[in-house]
Amino acid sequence: MTDAETPVPVNPLPADLKVDEVVVLDFGGQYSQLIARRVRECGVFSELLPHHVGPEEVARRKPKGIILSGGPASVYSPDAPPLDPRLLELGVPVLGICYGMQLLAKELGGRVESAEVGEYGRSQLTVTEHGTLLKGQPDDQPAWMSHRDTVFTPPTGAVALASSTSSPVAAFESVERGIYGIQYHPEVVHTPYGQQTLQTFLRDVCHCSLDWSAANIADEQIRLIREQVGDGKVICGLSGGVDSSVAALLVHQAVGDQLTCVYVDHGLMRKNETEQVEKTFGEHFKVPLVVVDAKQRFLERLRGLTEPEAKRKAIGNEFIRIFEEEALKLAVGGGTEVEGAETKTFGDVHADEPAPEGAKFLVQGTLYSDVIESGGGTGAATIKSHHNVGGLPDDMTFALVEPLRALFKDEVRAVGTEIGLPERMVWRQPFPGPGLGIRIVGGEITQEKLDTLRECDAILQEEIRAAGLYRDLWQSFCVLPDVRTVGVQGDKRTYGYVVAIRAVTSDDAMTADWARLPYELLDKVAGRMVGEVREVNRVVLDITSKPPGTIEWE
Ligand code: XMP
């Protein structure tokens, strides 16, 4: 996709919502998303937009400042992403980081050249003039760099504030012209005064009020959902994970029983997960909830399948079909029974009556990182149903309700806490859609194996929580290979299952390291598994990082 074809994200916040915003323009840097997150951590709403969106699009946000991100290009390369000079005429301060700084220097009369030696990683910054941007910071400080091009002379009228080993000008500012530049990356943890620099820029240069937080816009989101939905009916597929849970609760707080949630229990869930969803949503929050017990149907569908992708496909397709059947009932009223599945309803569910007004809206837990990664999309999209929940009549359209579109994952957790979602759900580790189905490996999925795996998994989670490590781990779970080994228990020979423990730390699941769980914890977990779960007589630990391994075994 060329730059021009990349869709421009729609502002995820309503135009009439009065919050200070700073726009981060993405020039392709590795840490651009992180800059937007750090700005939000300072208390200022921030959007990441592709660098080419143009000044009109930026101006529409009425930003109080603009940040130009880093990027891999050299400002002198013929295909280097350029800086539109009209951005500098919007009357708001501009902070360039790394490539962004070099662009400012080149555009405004400074001198940028390729240095003899690049600077990659930890570097030492010497502050020669604190100015506004580096006010209150030490003269010498570590800073994270990643560049070869270097600013040798700051833009006309700007003052050089700092230098580093290979950067004669590692920071500059011109208060008069409203331009600021830093060669280093303030957004990474290896730059200890980076967050302070960003905060100074936001507070003292852009005069932002630093009072934005995801949690305190929950009320606004609720107002927006009300406006969008009116008195229409809404459907939400609940998975038990944090995103769909928070999205559903927000919508329920906005429009009450106009929302019906559908939870499909495919029997591949963790222990007590279905009960927890029923208890939290059906009983506690009193959200109209349809729980579809499709355990047998899935088991039958999975019979004989061992190949990972075949299992994934079978589970995914079956899931969509069941969800559609339920959604259809709710959307048009009446409808056919879901074959081979039993439904249990909580609250005021009107699926059996012909509904003159069917559900028009579908809730999705889309996050801001999804919005960025998919290149934007249009928030107001009315999608053809078959693009989303295939199989519904072609002329049936759902409008999407996406109350988390503006939020990063950690912000979704903050909102979840704010609106009263139990801690256990807010902090739940990620769990794959195909669930335990891709953790029974090498053999057929059976009820016995599912029960064995579920019990072992529950023991692991319980002990990890008791040791206070649950939130430190990206994921922790068990895997059940189709292997039996010989053991001796109670003076008798056994021939039981091997269970593998997989626990990893990670920031984003793209890479992961195996977690160094304490020996005492591992010992306790293994002892409990072989003691309490009859079919298990051996426990092993997976010590592979990603890459070369993946987090899941399949
Ligand atoms: P891998 O195993 O590829 O997993 O390192 C990375 C992250 O993705 C999750 N995962 C899945 N999630 N459907 C999902 O919804 C899937 O089929 C699936 N496979 C892996 C995995 O749990 C980890 O967080």
Side-chain angles (χ1 to χ4, degrees), residues 352-374:
D352 298 331
E353 308 161 11
E357 274 293 303
K360 298 271 192 316
F361 299 93
L362 185 71
V363 181
Q364 292 208 324
T366 317
L367 302 187
Y368 191 54
S369 35
D370 305 327
V371 173
I372 295 173
E373 268 149 37
S374 63

Side-chain angles (χ1 to χ4, degrees), residues 327-384:
L328 187 61
K329 284 203 265 174
L330 292 163
V332 299
T336 50
E337 283 304 306
V338 177
E339 217 175 296
E342 277 182 34
T343 56
K344 184 154 73 167
T345 59
F346 294 78
D348 210 7
V349 176
H350 297 285
D352 298 331
E353 308 161 11
E357 274 293 303
K360 298 271 192 316
F361 299 93
L362 185 71
V363 181
Q364 292 208 324
T366 317
L367 302 187
Y368 191 54
S369 35
D370 305 327
V371 173
I372 295 173
E373 268 149 37
S374 63
T378 58
T382 300
I383 52 146
K384 275 272 184 199

Side-chain angles (χ1 to χ4, degrees), residues 312 430 432-434 438 474-475 509 546 550-552:
R312 267 203 170 79
I438 53 164
W474 174 264
Q475 272 173 296
K546 172 183 180 176
T550 49
I551 296 176
E552 306 286 349

